[in-house]
Amino acid sequence: MCAVRALPIFEAAKRPRGRPRKTPQERNEGNRRQDVVKAAAKLFRRYGFNGTSTRDIACAVGMHSGSLFFHFKSKDALLHEVIQEGMRSAMARQMIVLLAEHDAVTMLRLLIRSHFETILGSSSDFMHVVLYESRYLNATQHKIIANLQAEYKATWTSVLQELSLTGCLQVEVPVARHLLFGVLNGSAQWFKSEMGISIDDLTDAVVTLFIHVPAA
């Protein structure tokens, strides 16, 4: 009888927990995509959506023009991503404010300062595009952004309602919110760092305009 040769036993390879690690190439492509988004935000702000070509954006990041479409199927899709990134940044900054407990006056002050940082700070290209280039979004894209904006503004509404109940707000909440965002967003048109006015100065000025603390 022939001897039966034992077959080697192999242990089943264990599946790694969590998401698989990205390869160096995948990480590089992710970085390149982010570079494209940043460059697009800067160019859309400077020249407008219609005044910026995909060739301009590709050149700004050292790509061939056609390579841009590896990351985004169209310039419209890239605009949508820039605007979403602007809203995500604003909401992340706002969330930092909301994580701390403050009275309503302090909360409004911090929200105002946070908004100024978003539209006037180092990443302001994105919010400038949100404010002035959103009209080029299609209906589906516009609805997505509108939902993000509504979520962002809902926090302000609740704070303003609390201030109204305590007599600190001198006008109706809906009017106050529209006026407030008009003042804040309008600063993107005229504010220059060389004016010698800080974001804290701007914040104090807006709080003074909108809030009156009743005497004890």
Side-chain angles (χ1 to χ4, degrees):
M1 181 180 294
C2 296
V4 177
R5 187 174 180 182
L7 297 175
I9 298 175
F10 298 95
E11 292 187 3
K14 294 182 178 179
R15 296 182 62 185
R17 295 182 179 180
R19 295 180 179 178
R21 292 184 179 181
K22 292 183 178 180
T23 65
Q25 181 178 356
E26 288 173 328
R27 288 195 295 271
N28 182 59
E29 291 302 334
N31 292 336
R32 295 292 282 165
R33 178 185 172 90
Q34 191 59 29
D35 290 342
V36 169
V37 174
K38 289 180 180 178
K42 184 175 183 178
L43 292 171
F44 289 158
R45 176 178 185 172
R46 181 174 297 179
Y47 303 111
F49 176 71
N50 282 340
T52 303
S53 68
T54 54
R55 183 182 297 275
D56 295 330
I57 299 167
C59 183
V61 294
M63 282 183 177
H64 294 296
S65 183
S67 300
L68 194 70
F69 298 104
F70 173 80
H71 300 282
F72 297 96
K73 65 179 182 180
S74 66
K75 192 173 75 163
D76 291 352
L78 178 52
L79 173 66
H80 189 212
E81 179 60 24
V82 169
I83 292 176
Q84 286 188 100
E85 179 63 25
M87 287 306 305
R88 286 192 294 262
S89 175
M91 295 174 77
R93 191 183 295 275
Q94 179 175 264
M95 182 56 65
I96 294 173
V97 174
L98 299 178
L99 289 175
E101 293 186 5
H102 299 288
D103 60 83
V105 173
T106 302
M107 181 65 75
L108 183 65
R109 179 185 295 273
L110 292 174
L111 288 173
I112 291 171
R113 195 186 191 291
S114 171
H115 195 77
F116 272 137
E117 284 281 0
T118 300
I119 63 176
L120 302 176
S122 59
S123 299
S124 59
D125 290 340
F126 288 93
M127 281 305 294
H128 190 98
V129 177
V130 172
L131 294 175
Y132 303 110
E133 303 299 320
S134 295
R135 63 187 182 276
Y136 296 110
L137 296 173
N138 63 39
T140 300
Q141 293 168 339
H142 190 272
K143 184 175 181 180
I144 292 171
I145 299 304
N147 288 338
L148 291 175
Q149 290 173 328
E151 183 180 345
Y152 180 80
K153 291 179 178 180
T155 295
W156 296 66
T157 300
S158 62
V159 174
L160 291 172
Q161 287 172 339
E162 185 174 348
L163 289 168
S164 180
L165 290 173
T166 58
C168 295
L169 195 66
Q170 300 303 297
V171 295
E172 295 295 323
V173 170
V175 176
R177 196 185 73 174
H178 285 301
L179 289 173
L180 187 56
F181 278 105
V183 170
L184 297 178
N185 294 339
S187 67
Q189 290 290 330
W190 58 264
F191 178 80
K192 298 289 186 292
S193 57
E194 55 267 25
M195 294 173 65
I197 303 174
S198 69
I199 287 180
D200 286 325
D201 294 333
L202 288 176
T203 301
D204 291 341
V206 174
V207 170
T208 301
L209 284 172
F210 284 87
I211 301 299
H212 168 70
V213 180

